[in-house]
Amino acid sequence: MTTDIYKHKRLFFIVFWSILTFSLWPYVYLSNHPFYYWILYTAFVMASFIGISHYLSDIVLPKALKEGRMKHFLLQFFLGIILLNILVSLCFTLFPYFIQDEQALARSDVQSWKELFVYKLFNSIPSAMAIVTTTCGIRFYEEHHKIEKVNTKLQQEHLEAQIKLLQDQINPHLMFNVLNHIHILMQHNVELASTVLLKFSDILRYQLYESNQKKVFLHQEIQYLQDLVAIEQIRWQEELTVTCLWEIESRQLEIAPLLLVPLVENAFKHVSRLPHQQGYVQIHCTEHGGLLSLAIENSYNDTYKREKQQGGIGLANVTERLKIQYPENHSFQLNQEKDQFTVVLQINLNDPHDNR
């Protein structure tokens, strides 16, 4: 992309300066002077145009943009135009003067060489302004493109760092909970603890080798959730009724890794279990036509709810990641009632712009 811009810029200036060079031909042709005169005349005029224009556009402007001194550049810009105007006017006056080209006076309708200089001085302002503005404008566009590219890269890196931070917050939190489950089970049922440990190894393998990517296959993420739910079912056994529905059409769709984990974990963490009454968790996860729908409902009661654990990140983490990774392609609803808590999430996984 940058190489193309440089090529186009170089081609533009070759054409631009060539046209400007040959536009001086009428001044020489009408005066009927030899070819070398045209060469010298053109060389001095074009040297003035090219030298001052590119000094302002290639040296002064980039430095001013880098240092944030645009007022200083504008002062030099106008001084450069004045200087260019004086040099060009001198060329238009001195060359005809030295060869006594009286036709130059007649063409400008003046009586003396001093009047010709003043006439050219005022007459050359628009052309000097246009040429310098053109070269500086193109350079400004080029520098602006560079700045935008750097800013975009910095924003992307910032977003990736923010996503990584949010994603990394899940791993130790989840591992702590699962290890705590295993510790409790080992005191009562070693065989069951061994089964949970095997499930946990699958979870850990997924976190270590799969979830460090920007995107993972949806079916892999769902398998991870199923392993997590299986551990919770083993842990709580008869204390909870767990109902799950998993329907995934496409095995090619991708999703941000570990995005859904806090929702499932949150349901089991905060589910209420009333005396002489089972708590419940219901999970319905479907994907049809690229639209992922996840609805999670768990029993809830303010009176007997479990004390909130410190360090919980759950729903706030999911909300923040959705804003960053699926800003315009998701809906996220929370509903807390007297005896139940419901989470409904929908994500359009077909949008190609969600590769953040």
Side-chain angles (χ1 to χ4, degrees):
M1 178 66 179
T2 305
T3 305
D4 291 339
I5 292 176
Y6 286 142
K7 287 181 179 178
H8 293 157
K9 175 188 171 184
R10 194 181 304 114
L11 179 61
F12 172 82
F13 277 120
I14 290 174
V15 175
F16 178 74
W17 294 124
S18 297
I19 292 174
L20 189 60
T21 299
F22 287 102
S23 68
L24 297 175
W25 171 256
Y27 293 100
V28 183
Y29 177 75
L30 292 175
S31 60
N32 240 351
H33 286 290
F35 185 72
Y36 73 87
Y37 172 75
W38 179 84
I39 294 296
L40 291 175
Y41 186 61
T42 302
F44 276 96
V45 173
M46 294 308 301
S48 301
F49 277 130
I50 295 174
I52 293 178
S53 296
H54 283 286
Y55 171 75
L56 291 172
S57 64
D58 296 343
I59 298 176
V60 179
L61 179 58
K63 185 178 179 181
L65 286 171
K66 184 178 180 179
E67 298 176 356
R69 301 177 62 187
M70 290 306 295
K71 290 183 179 179
H72 182 69
F73 166 74
L74 289 175
L75 176 61
Q76 289 184 290
F77 175 81
F78 286 111
L79 289 176
I81 290 176
I82 293 172
L83 177 60
L84 176 61
N85 193 40
I86 292 172
L87 290 175
V88 171
S89 299
L90 284 173
C91 289
F92 285 156
T93 305
L94 292 179
F95 268 88
Y97 171 76
F98 283 122
I99 61 173
Q100 294 299 310
D101 183 8
E102 301 294 335
Q103 294 181 23
L105 298 176
R107 287 196 298 270
S108 300
D109 196 22
V110 294
Q111 302 299 318
S112 67
W113 297 109
K114 187 180 293 185
E115 289 181 11
L116 178 63
F117 174 75
V118 174
Y119 172 80
K120 292 295 183 180
L121 193 64
F122 285 98
N123 197 43
S124 300
I125 291 177
S127 58
M129 178 81 74
I131 290 169
V132 175
T133 301
T134 299
T135 55
C136 289
I138 292 173
R139 182 67 183 201
F140 180 82
Y141 169 79
E142 182 184 345
E143 292 297 319
H144 179 72
H145 175 77
K146 289 180 182 178
I147 293 171
E148 286 294 315
K149 190 175 180 179
V150 171
N151 288 340
T152 300
K153 184 179 179 181
L154 289 176
Q155 290 176 359
Q156 182 69 22
E157 290 176 352
H158 174 71
L159 286 177
E160 289 177 359
Q162 193 173 355
I163 292 169
K164 188 70 170 62
L165 177 62
L166 291 169
Q167 185 173 308
D168 287 345
Q169 287 178 329
I170 298 172
N171 298 351
H173 185 72
L174 179 61
M175 286 191 287
F176 174 81
N177 283 341
V178 175
L179 288 172
N180 189 50
H181 297 346
I182 296 173
H183 173 72
I184 294 172
L185 284 172
M186 287 184 68
Q187 299 177 21
H188 306 285
N189 191 327
V190 176
E191 184 178 348
L192 196 56
S194 177
T195 302
V196 175
L197 187 59
L198 290 175
K199 289 286 185 183
F200 178 62
S201 67
D202 292 335
I203 288 177
L204 191 59
R205 187 181 300 108
Y206 179 81
Q207 287 189 352
L208 290 175
Y209 299 110
E210 303 293 340
S211 65
N212 288 324
Q213 306 172 49
K214 290 184 179 180
K215 294 290 182 71
V216 296
F217 285 114
L218 177 61
H219 67 85
Q220 291 178 311
E221 184 79 0
I222 298 304
Q223 181 61 54
Y224 176 86
L225 296 181
Q226 290 173 337
D227 290 337
L228 179 60
V229 171
I231 289 178
E232 296 289 359
Q233 285 180 294
I234 293 173
R235 179 192 178 195
W236 299 114
Q237 297 188 33
E238 302 299 325
E239 293 186 47
L240 289 179
T241 300
V242 180
T243 305
C244 297
L245 173 66
W246 312 94
E247 291 183 357
I248 306 300
E249 281 186 349
S250 174
R251 294 181 64 84
Q252 301 303 317
L253 287 174
E254 295 181 319
I255 189 171
L258 305 178
L259 178 63
L260 309 177
V261 175
L263 302 181
V264 174
E265 187 187 21
N266 193 73
F268 284 99
K269 188 197 308 182
H270 298 293
V271 62
S272 64
R273 296 174 300 282
L274 300 178
H276 311 294
Q277 183 178 343
Q278 277 189 324
Y280 72 89
V281 174
Q282 296 178 351
I283 302 175
H284 287 186
C285 182
T286 61
E287 177 272 314
H288 298 292
L291 181 63
L292 174 67
S293 299
L294 176 64
I296 303 177
E297 180 182 316
N298 61 272
S299 54
Y300 180 86
N301 189 284
D302 284 327
T303 305
Y304 293 96
K305 71 177 182 179
R306 299 164 61 194
E307 187 176 335
K308 186 176 181 180
Q309 300 178 15
Q310 292 185 351
I313 53 171
L315 301 180
N317 183 293
V318 175
T319 301
E320 191 65 25
R321 288 188 66 187
L322 287 170
K323 287 179 181 179
I324 296 174
Q325 295 176 291
Y326 299 95
E328 299 177 358
N329 293 287
H330 80 275
S331 64
F332 188 39
Q333 299 176 351
L334 307 175
N335 185 31
Q336 179 178 320
E337 298 181 4
K338 183 179 180 181
D339 58 353
Q340 68 181 35
F341 189 87
T342 306
V343 175
V344 179
L345 170 64
Q346 288 189 326
I347 306 176
N348 179 13
L349 299 178
N350 280 326
D351 196 319
H353 297 96
D354 282 327
N355 188 20
R356 291 176 170 80

